[in-house]
Amino acid sequence: ETGVTQTPRHLVMGMTNKKSLKCEQHLGHNAMYWYKQSAKKPLELMFVYSLEERVENNSVPSRFSPECPNSSHLFLHLHTLQPEDSALYLCASSQPLSRNEQFFGPGTRLTVL
Amino acid sequence: AQSVAQPEDQVNVAEGNPLTVKCTYSVSGNPYLFWYVQYPNRGLQFLLKYITGDNLVKGSYGFEAEFNKSQTSFHLKKPSALVSDSALYFCAVRDPQGGGYQKVTFGIGTKLQVIP
């Protein structure tokens, strides 16, 4: 297993609920990422934080709200989601240089009813 | 804009036979190329990368990949497949000359099925 953990591993929520996904990395990296993985689609990069500053926001709906309180922790706050938001949400971390590979957590399987 | 193509949704190979998972890319400059593997209910795991230098890159679990600039390809290979290699494989590209934050673009993945 990598040094990136995600909780919860599974989440079922209604469209009116508020929930948060948590990611923690123990690798000393300075960049963290949220991806959405849906079947038969490329990984969709949602947000990137480098040195705790958001550097990428890929036109993600406002019902997804990221938070990076420090370089080891990343949150994704969820509010009034839609059924099409059901997917595997992956967190990753890396050193910021572009030649460095990313280390992924196991993901949170989200189902929106 | 950069892009990655994995032309095969699924590759089937008999155990012990060589395997190839194909990847082609498009970037404006010299690419950084990556392969990742995803086992069921797990996140992606890094296998190998090409940054510069020798076109043949060796990685984890006996995998290797060959960078071919003229064909803009970075195919993943293994001389002898194992049943445990069955998984989803992702190719990814990054343009280091893009400036600013350099996003990685992933392919849609190729499912490798190794048949006992």
mmCIF file of all heavy atoms in Angstrom, chain B residues 80-114:
data_model
loop_
_atom_site.group_PDB
_atom_site.id
_atom_site.type_symbol
_atom_site.label_atom_id
_atom_site.label_comp_id
_atom_site.label_asym_id
_atom_site.label_seq_id
_atom_site.Cartn_x
_atom_site.Cartn_y
_atom_site.Cartn_z
ATOM 1 N N SER B 80 7.121 -12.232 -19.960
ATOM 2 C CA SER B 80 6.351 -13.414 -19.578
ATOM 3 C C SER B 80 5.244 -12.997 -18.608
ATOM 4 O O SER B 80 5.525 -12.614 -17.479
ATOM 5 C CB SER B 80 7.275 -14.447 -18.920
ATOM 6 O OG SER B 80 6.543 -15.580 -18.510
ATOM 7 N N ALA B 81 4.004 -13.090 -19.057
ATOM 8 C CA ALA B 81 2.885 -12.593 -18.255
ATOM 9 C C ALA B 81 2.537 -13.547 -17.115
ATOM 10 O O ALA B 81 2.622 -14.778 -17.248
ATOM 11 C CB ALA B 81 1.664 -12.396 -19.148
ATOM 12 N N LEU B 82 2.117 -12.963 -16.008
ATOM 13 C CA LEU B 82 1.631 -13.715 -14.855
ATOM 14 C C LEU B 82 0.143 -13.437 -14.670
ATOM 15 O O LEU B 82 -0.333 -12.340 -14.989
ATOM 16 C CB LEU B 82 2.370 -13.300 -13.582
ATOM 17 C CG LEU B 82 3.883 -13.479 -13.564
ATOM 18 C CD1 LEU B 82 4.462 -12.859 -12.302
ATOM 19 C CD2 LEU B 82 4.245 -14.956 -13.662
ATOM 20 N N VAL B 83 -0.572 -14.405 -14.107
ATOM 21 C CA VAL B 83 -1.999 -14.193 -13.823
ATOM 22 C C VAL B 83 -2.180 -12.965 -12.928
ATOM 23 O O VAL B 83 -3.129 -12.191 -13.082
ATOM 24 C CB VAL B 83 -2.618 -15.447 -13.189
ATOM 25 C CG1 VAL B 83 -4.042 -15.170 -12.718
ATOM 26 C CG2 VAL B 83 -2.608 -16.607 -14.181
ATOM 27 N N SER B 84 -1.240 -12.772 -12.018
ATOM 28 C CA SER B 84 -1.325 -11.644 -11.089
ATOM 29 C C SER B 84 -1.110 -10.293 -11.767
ATOM 30 O O SER B 84 -1.317 -9.242 -11.140
ATOM 31 C CB SER B 84 -0.304 -11.810 -9.965
ATOM 32 O OG SER B 84 1.001 -11.927 -10.487
ATOM 33 N N ASP B 85 -0.701 -10.289 -13.035
ATOM 34 C CA ASP B 85 -0.574 -9.029 -13.783
ATOM 35 C C ASP B 85 -1.928 -8.522 -14.274
ATOM 36 O O ASP B 85 -2.028 -7.394 -14.773
ATOM 37 C CB ASP B 85 0.345 -9.210 -14.998
ATOM 38 C CG ASP B 85 1.779 -9.469 -14.614
ATOM 39 O OD1 ASP B 85 2.221 -8.983 -13.549
ATOM 40 O OD2 ASP B 85 2.474 -10.187 -15.380
ATOM 41 N N SER B 86 -2.960 -9.326 -14.162
ATOM 42 C CA SER B 86 -4.295 -8.914 -14.602
ATOM 43 C C SER B 86 -4.734 -7.689 -13.805
ATOM 44 O O SER B 86 -4.822 -7.723 -12.570
ATOM 45 C CB SER B 86 -5.289 -10.062 -14.404
ATOM 46 O OG SER B 86 -4.922 -11.194 -15.163
ATOM 47 N N ALA B 87 -4.991 -6.614 -14.515
ATOM 48 C CA ALA B 87 -5.312 -5.340 -13.872
ATOM 49 C C ALA B 87 -5.631 -4.322 -14.967
ATOM 50 O O ALA B 87 -5.647 -4.642 -16.149
ATOM 51 C CB ALA B 87 -4.139 -4.852 -13.018
ATOM 52 N N LEU B 88 -5.859 -3.090 -14.529
ATOM 53 C CA LEU B 88 -6.108 -1.980 -15.452
ATOM 54 C C LEU B 88 -4.844 -1.131 -15.539
ATOM 55 O O LEU B 88 -4.279 -0.754 -14.507
ATOM 56 C CB LEU B 88 -7.278 -1.152 -14.902
ATOM 57 C CG LEU B 88 -7.946 -0.106 -15.794
ATOM 58 C CD1 LEU B 88 -8.445 -0.738 -17.081
ATOM 59 C CD2 LEU B 88 -9.102 0.537 -15.035
ATOM 60 N N TYR B 89 -4.396 -0.857 -16.754
ATOM 61 C CA TYR B 89 -3.143 -0.144 -16.965
ATOM 62 C C TYR B 89 -3.405 1.210 -17.624
ATOM 63 O O TYR B 89 -4.147 1.306 -18.602
ATOM 64 C CB TYR B 89 -2.196 -0.982 -17.843
ATOM 65 C CG TYR B 89 -1.676 -2.194 -17.098
ATOM 66 C CD1 TYR B 89 -2.456 -3.345 -16.980
ATOM 67 C CD2 TYR B 89 -0.432 -2.172 -16.484
ATOM 68 C CE1 TYR B 89 -1.999 -4.441 -16.260
ATOM 69 C CE2 TYR B 89 0.040 -3.270 -15.773
ATOM 70 C CZ TYR B 89 -0.763 -4.392 -15.662
ATOM 71 O OH TYR B 89 -0.306 -5.478 -14.952
ATOM 72 N N PHE B 90 -2.773 2.227 -17.053
ATOM 73 C CA PHE B 90 -2.953 3.588 -17.536
ATOM 74 C C PHE B 90 -1.629 4.159 -18.008
ATOM 75 O O PHE B 90 -0.624 4.113 -17.290
ATOM 76 C CB PHE B 90 -3.493 4.497 -16.425
ATOM 77 C CG PHE B 90 -4.894 4.196 -16.007
ATOM 78 C CD1 PHE B 90 -5.142 3.309 -14.974
ATOM 79 C CD2 PHE B 90 -5.965 4.800 -16.640
ATOM 80 C CE1 PHE B 90 -6.442 3.023 -14.580
ATOM 81 C CE2 PHE B 90 -7.267 4.528 -16.252
ATOM 82 C CZ PHE B 90 -7.504 3.636 -15.223
ATOM 83 N N CYS B 91 -1.661 4.757 -19.189
ATOM 84 C CA CYS B 91 -0.540 5.533 -19.699
ATOM 85 C C CYS B 91 -0.830 7.007 -19.413
ATOM 86 O O CYS B 91 -2.001 7.432 -19.417
ATOM 87 C CB CYS B 91 -0.416 5.292 -21.204
ATOM 88 S SG CYS B 91 0.952 6.108 -22.019
ATOM 89 N N ALA B 92 0.204 7.775 -19.162
ATOM 90 C CA ALA B 92 0.014 9.191 -18.865
ATOM 91 C C ALA B 92 1.153 10.001 -19.462
ATOM 92 O O ALA B 92 2.282 9.511 -19.588
ATOM 93 C CB ALA B 92 -0.060 9.421 -17.354
ATOM 94 N N VAL B 93 0.855 11.253 -19.803
ATOM 95 C CA VAL B 93 1.860 12.125 -20.425
ATOM 96 C C VAL B 93 1.825 13.492 -19.771
ATOM 97 O O VAL B 93 0.782 13.961 -19.309
ATOM 98 C CB VAL B 93 1.616 12.257 -21.944
ATOM 99 C CG1 VAL B 93 0.307 12.987 -22.234
ATOM 100 C CG2 VAL B 93 2.780 12.974 -22.624
ATOM 101 N N ARG B 94 2.980 14.094 -19.722
ATOM 102 C CA ARG B 94 3.083 15.461 -19.232
ATOM 103 C C ARG B 94 4.042 16.209 -20.149
ATOM 104 O O ARG B 94 5.102 15.687 -20.497
ATOM 105 C CB ARG B 94 3.577 15.472 -17.798
ATOM 106 C CG ARG B 94 3.833 16.851 -17.217
ATOM 107 C CD ARG B 94 4.302 16.703 -15.783
ATOM 108 N NE ARG B 94 3.251 16.982 -14.823
ATOM 109 C CZ ARG B 94 3.268 16.541 -13.559
ATOM 110 N NH1 ARG B 94 4.250 15.788 -13.147
ATOM 111 N NH2 ARG B 94 2.297 16.844 -12.739
ATOM 112 N N ASP B 95 3.672 17.421 -20.550
ATOM 113 C CA ASP B 95 4.537 18.268 -21.366
ATOM 114 C C ASP B 95 5.343 19.170 -20.446
ATOM 115 O O ASP B 95 4.787 20.115 -19.874
ATOM 116 C CB ASP B 95 3.687 19.096 -22.325
ATOM 117 C CG ASP B 95 4.538 19.939 -23.264
ATOM 118 O OD1 ASP B 95 5.780 19.986 -23.071
ATOM 119 O OD2 ASP B 95 3.967 20.556 -24.167
ATOM 120 N N PRO B 96 6.634 18.914 -20.278
ATOM 121 C CA PRO B 96 7.413 19.714 -19.337
ATOM 122 C C PRO B 96 7.637 21.144 -19.798
ATOM 123 O O PRO B 96 8.072 21.977 -19.010
ATOM 124 C CB PRO B 96 8.748 18.967 -19.250
ATOM 125 C CG PRO B 96 8.843 18.229 -20.545
ATOM 126 C CD PRO B 96 7.452 17.873 -20.918
ATOM 127 N N GLN B 97 7.316 21.451 -21.045
ATOM 128 C CA GLN B 97 7.518 22.793 -21.549
ATOM 129 C C GLN B 97 6.230 23.591 -21.545
ATOM 130 O O GLN B 97 6.146 24.654 -22.145
ATOM 131 C CB GLN B 97 8.099 22.729 -22.964
ATOM 132 C CG GLN B 97 9.447 22.020 -22.994
ATOM 133 C CD GLN B 97 9.968 21.825 -24.400
ATOM 134 O OE1 GLN B 97 9.314 22.187 -25.359
ATOM 135 N NE2 GLN B 97 11.145 21.238 -24.507
ATOM 136 N N GLY B 98 5.226 23.063 -20.874
ATOM 137 C CA GLY B 98 3.927 23.728 -20.889
ATOM 138 C C GLY B 98 3.907 25.037 -20.128
ATOM 139 O O GLY B 98 3.043 25.866 -20.354
ATOM 140 N N GLY B 99 4.818 25.178 -19.159
ATOM 141 C CA GLY B 99 4.816 26.397 -18.358
ATOM 142 C C GLY B 99 3.791 26.339 -17.259
ATOM 143 O O GLY B 99 2.761 25.696 -17.386
ATOM 144 N N GLY B 100 4.083 26.996 -16.144
ATOM 145 C CA GLY B 100 3.152 26.995 -15.029
ATOM 146 C C GLY B 100 2.956 25.603 -14.476
ATOM 147 O O GLY B 100 3.858 24.780 -14.512
ATOM 148 N N TYR B 101 1.777 25.329 -13.926
ATOM 149 C CA TYR B 101 1.498 23.996 -13.440
ATOM 150 C C TYR B 101 1.305 23.069 -14.636
ATOM 151 O O TYR B 101 0.558 23.370 -15.558
ATOM 152 C CB TYR B 101 0.250 23.967 -12.560
ATOM 153 C CG TYR B 101 -0.156 22.556 -12.296
ATOM 154 C CD1 TYR B 101 0.613 21.738 -11.478
ATOM 155 C CD2 TYR B 101 -1.251 21.994 -12.936
ATOM 156 C CE1 TYR B 101 0.282 20.422 -11.283
ATOM 157 C CE2 TYR B 101 -1.591 20.676 -12.735
ATOM 158 C CZ TYR B 101 -0.809 19.894 -11.910
ATOM 159 O OH TYR B 101 -1.135 18.581 -11.736
ATOM 160 N N GLN B 102 1.994 21.949 -14.638
ATOM 161 C CA GLN B 102 1.976 21.061 -15.806
ATOM 162 C C GLN B 102 1.130 19.842 -15.494
ATOM 163 O O GLN B 102 1.551 18.935 -14.798
ATOM 164 C CB GLN B 102 3.397 20.662 -16.164
ATOM 165 C CG GLN B 102 4.214 21.842 -16.661
ATOM 166 C CD GLN B 102 5.607 21.861 -16.086
ATOM 167 O OE1 GLN B 102 6.041 20.924 -15.442
ATOM 168 N NE2 GLN B 102 6.324 22.934 -16.317
ATOM 169 N N LYS B 103 -0.060 19.841 -16.028
ATOM 170 C CA LYS B 103 -1.021 18.785 -15.751
ATOM 171 C C LYS B 103 -0.615 17.487 -16.422
ATOM 172 O O LYS B 103 -0.092 17.474 -17.538
ATOM 173 C CB LYS B 103 -2.388 19.205 -16.262
ATOM 174 C CG LYS B 103 -3.508 18.260 -15.903
ATOM 175 C CD LYS B 103 -4.853 18.838 -16.317
ATOM 176 C CE LYS B 103 -5.081 18.774 -17.813
ATOM 177 N NZ LYS B 103 -6.456 19.170 -18.166
ATOM 178 N N VAL B 104 -0.869 16.389 -15.731
ATOM 179 C CA VAL B 104 -0.699 15.070 -16.312
ATOM 180 C C VAL B 104 -2.001 14.672 -16.985
ATOM 181 O O VAL B 104 -3.076 14.838 -16.416
ATOM 182 C CB VAL B 104 -0.331 14.032 -15.227
ATOM 183 C CG1 VAL B 104 -0.306 12.631 -15.816
ATOM 184 C CG2 VAL B 104 0.995 14.375 -14.600
ATOM 185 N N THR B 105 -1.919 14.159 -18.198
ATOM 186 C CA THR B 105 -3.089 13.643 -18.908
ATOM 187 C C THR B 105 -3.009 12.128 -18.944
ATOM 188 O O THR B 105 -2.004 11.571 -19.380
ATOM 189 C CB THR B 105 -3.150 14.195 -20.337
ATOM 190 O OG1 THR B 105 -3.270 15.618 -20.278
ATOM 191 C CG2 THR B 105 -4.345 13.629 -21.082
ATOM 192 N N PHE B 106 -4.072 11.482 -18.481
ATOM 193 C CA PHE B 106 -4.134 10.024 -18.442
ATOM 194 C C PHE B 106 -4.951 9.489 -19.608
ATOM 195 O O PHE B 106 -5.899 10.137 -20.075
ATOM 196 C CB PHE B 106 -4.793 9.556 -17.143
ATOM 197 C CG PHE B 106 -3.924 9.704 -15.925
ATOM 198 C CD1 PHE B 106 -3.857 10.914 -15.243
ATOM 199 C CD2 PHE B 106 -3.175 8.631 -15.450
ATOM 200 C CE1 PHE B 106 -3.064 11.048 -14.113
ATOM 201 C CE2 PHE B 106 -2.383 8.757 -14.323
ATOM 202 C CZ PHE B 106 -2.322 9.971 -13.661
ATOM 203 N N GLY B 107 -4.606 8.283 -20.059
ATOM 204 C CA GLY B 107 -5.438 7.573 -21.003
ATOM 205 C C GLY B 107 -6.633 6.955 -20.299
ATOM 206 O O GLY B 107 -6.770 7.057 -19.075
ATOM 207 N N ILE B 108 -7.500 6.296 -21.073
ATOM 208 C CA ILE B 108 -8.715 5.729 -20.496
ATOM 209 C C ILE B 108 -8.475 4.371 -19.866
ATOM 210 O O ILE B 108 -9.359 3.826 -19.215
ATOM 211 C CB ILE B 108 -9.846 5.608 -21.546
ATOM 212 C CG1 ILE B 108 -9.440 4.640 -22.667
ATOM 213 C CG2 ILE B 108 -10.217 6.961 -22.092
ATOM 214 C CD1 ILE B 108 -10.597 4.304 -23.598
ATOM 215 N N GLY B 109 -7.283 3.850 -20.036
ATOM 216 C CA GLY B 109 -6.947 2.581 -19.415
ATOM 217 C C GLY B 109 -7.167 1.389 -20.334
ATOM 218 O O GLY B 109 -8.062 1.390 -21.189
ATOM 219 N N THR B 110 -6.326 0.385 -20.160
ATOM 220 C CA THR B 110 -6.446 -0.886 -20.878
ATOM 221 C C THR B 110 -6.506 -2.002 -19.848
ATOM 222 O O THR B 110 -5.634 -2.099 -18.979
ATOM 223 C CB THR B 110 -5.242 -1.126 -21.805
ATOM 224 O OG1 THR B 110 -5.207 -0.100 -22.794
ATOM 225 C CG2 THR B 110 -5.320 -2.489 -22.466
ATOM 226 N N LYS B 111 -7.540 -2.815 -19.963
ATOM 227 C CA LYS B 111 -7.675 -3.939 -19.046
ATOM 228 C C LYS B 111 -6.852 -5.116 -19.578
ATOM 229 O O LYS B 111 -7.040 -5.559 -20.716
ATOM 230 C CB LYS B 111 -9.143 -4.360 -18.921
ATOM 231 C CG LYS B 111 -9.365 -5.489 -17.921
ATOM 232 C CD LYS B 111 -10.847 -5.825 -17.792
ATOM 233 C CE LYS B 111 -11.066 -6.951 -16.798
ATOM 234 N NZ LYS B 111 -12.510 -7.304 -16.684
ATOM 235 N N LEU B 112 -5.931 -5.572 -18.769
ATOM 236 C CA LEU B 112 -5.112 -6.724 -19.125
ATOM 237 C C LEU B 112 -5.657 -7.951 -18.428
ATOM 238 O O LEU B 112 -5.807 -7.958 -17.206
ATOM 239 C CB LEU B 112 -3.658 -6.502 -18.713
ATOM 240 C CG LEU B 112 -2.716 -7.696 -18.906
ATOM 241 C CD1 LEU B 112 -2.552 -8.021 -20.381
ATOM 242 C CD2 LEU B 112 -1.365 -7.431 -18.267
ATOM 243 N N GLN B 113 -5.959 -8.975 -19.207
ATOM 244 C CA GLN B 113 -6.441 -10.241 -18.666
ATOM 245 C C GLN B 113 -5.426 -11.315 -19.030
ATOM 246 O O GLN B 113 -5.204 -11.588 -20.217
ATOM 247 C CB GLN B 113 -7.809 -10.572 -19.261
ATOM 248 C CG GLN B 113 -8.510 -11.746 -18.598
ATOM 249 C CD GLN B 113 -9.068 -11.392 -17.223
ATOM 250 O OE1 GLN B 113 -9.600 -10.304 -17.019
ATOM 251 N NE2 GLN B 113 -8.939 -12.297 -16.294
ATOM 252 N N VAL B 114 -4.799 -11.902 -18.026
ATOM 253 C CA VAL B 114 -3.843 -12.982 -18.252
ATOM 254 C C VAL B 114 -4.560 -14.293 -17.954
ATOM 255 O O VAL B 114 -5.043 -14.508 -16.841
ATOM 256 C CB VAL B 114 -2.594 -12.825 -17.385
ATOM 257 C CG1 VAL B 114 -1.615 -13.975 -17.671
ATOM 258 C CG2 VAL B 114 -1.928 -11.486 -17.650
#
